Amino acid sequence: MSTRRIVLATTNPGKIAELRRLLPPCIEVVSAGELGLSLPPETGETFAENALIKARAAARASGLVALADDSGLEVDALGGRPGVHSARYAGEHASDEENVQRLLAELASVSPERRTARFRAVIALVHPDGQEALAEGVVEGTIVDRPQGQSGFGYDPIFRPLGHDRTFAEMTTDEKNRLSHRARALEHAVVILDQWLRCSTSDTGLRGEHRGPDESPATSPAT
Ligand code: IMP
């Protein structure tokens, strides 16, 4: 079976490694950086818009099927914030720790049962022939009252997934990857890639949102 190339519209080495591990072996992943592509800024108001902005630019510039993702944390007591602003919640160059501290300060007076939240990831796939598809993954949970655990990144130390008694930062990478919003979105995306590239090695039975070149954008997920 011949290998099909796709371009990953990200410069994040962690995401590139994760995708190389999770995609079927008949799909060869090259990153935007390896092709010398520069990506546009994320100016969208939803995860889907941001993922599409990056994937469209990479598909246009490379002539390859492009995959991009965008993700973040939605806290119910904050009306869905930080959402698309998760990476820079405490300021343009804020550290993970500063973002976590801002979130905890805002939730200081919120009772445990009202601290519900979810991580959401949206993957956009763009074919150079104009087809576009969105795949989404969500993991529900709660925000604990102080950071717990050392692994992971971002909001992992304060996010405890539903049905578990540890935060993401107290889990191994494998444990987190089995539950994570990104892994769930990728399961859907792999099904679509199987269809587009015709090199299926498995079918999970899951389906992502899918639309053709002339249809208007699919409904964006809440942010
Ligand atoms: P992006 O998808 O790389 O733009 O991620 C946006 C931001 O959302 C990250 O910088 C983190 O703050 C947060 N985030 C997304 N996914 C996760 C996760 O799995 N754990 C912790 N934080 C995350």
Side-chain angles (χ1 to χ4, degrees):
M1 180 185 297
S2 65
T3 303
R4 313 297 205 278
R5 266 184 140 199
I6 69 167
V7 60
L8 202 53
T10 178
T11 51
N12 179 327
K15 286 186 184 172
I16 296 164
E18 186 176 334
L19 279 150
R20 285 205 166 112
R21 203 173 61 243
L22 293 169
L23 286 168
C26 57
I27 295 177
E28 181 199 352
V29 175
V30 291
S31 69
E34 284 163 341
L35 295 181
L37 309 179
S38 53
L39 297 173
E42 297 179 15
T43 51
E45 287 177 13
T46 64
F47 298 122
E49 282 172 18
N50 282 335
L52 279 168
I53 285 170
K54 291 183 282 185
R56 283 173 182 152
R60 200 179 311 121
S62 67
L64 298 171
V65 168
L67 183 157
D69 82 327
D70 196 35
S71 59
L73 179 68
E74 300 170 352
V75 179
D76 293 325
L78 301 177
R81 280 186 287 125
V84 287
H85 305 294
S86 293
R88 16 176 217 287
Y89 196 43
E92 198 50 44
H93 302 292
S95 65
D96 285 348
E97 166 119 30
E98 289 165 336
N99 288 331
V100 161
Q101 287 309 328
R102 173 173 176 186
L103 198 68
L104 288 178
E106 290 181 334
L107 292 177
S109 61
V110 177
S111 60
E113 62 277 9
R114 289 187 50 243
R115 296 170 76 103
T116 49
R118 70 205 50 76
F119 276 122
R120 189 184 299 277
V122 176
I123 290 178
L125 295 169
V126 175
H127 198 293
D129 74 4
Q131 292 184 83
E132 295 184 346
L134 293 173
E136 184 175 295
V138 169
V139 55
E140 300 282 345
T142 53
I143 304 299
V144 297
D145 58 2
R146 63 189 163 76
Q148 293 165 32
Q150 304 297 326
S151 13
F153 70 101
Y155 300 91
D156 281 347
I158 56 167
F159 183 83
R160 187 164 59 209
L162 204 65
H164 295 262
D165 57 6
R166 289 169 300 151
T167 66
F168 266 169
E170 294 175 293
M171 297 182 174
T172 64
T173 308
D174 280 352
E175 274 179 294
K176 179 187 165 186
N177 286 347
R178 275 196 291 275
L179 303 172
S180 91
H181 47 309
R182 232 181 323 280
R184 288 175 180 175
L186 198 60
E187 268 186 274
H188 295 274
V190 164
V191 176
I192 297 161
L193 284 172
D194 280 352
Q195 293 166 358
W196 285 6
L197 301 173
R198 308 236 169 268
C199 68
S200 171
T201 54
S202 65
D203 189 332
T204 61
L206 297 168
R207 292 288 180 274
E209 286 181 69
H210 199 176
R211 65 197 163 90
D214 299 320
E215 295 167 42
S216 59
T219 309
S220 300
T223 55

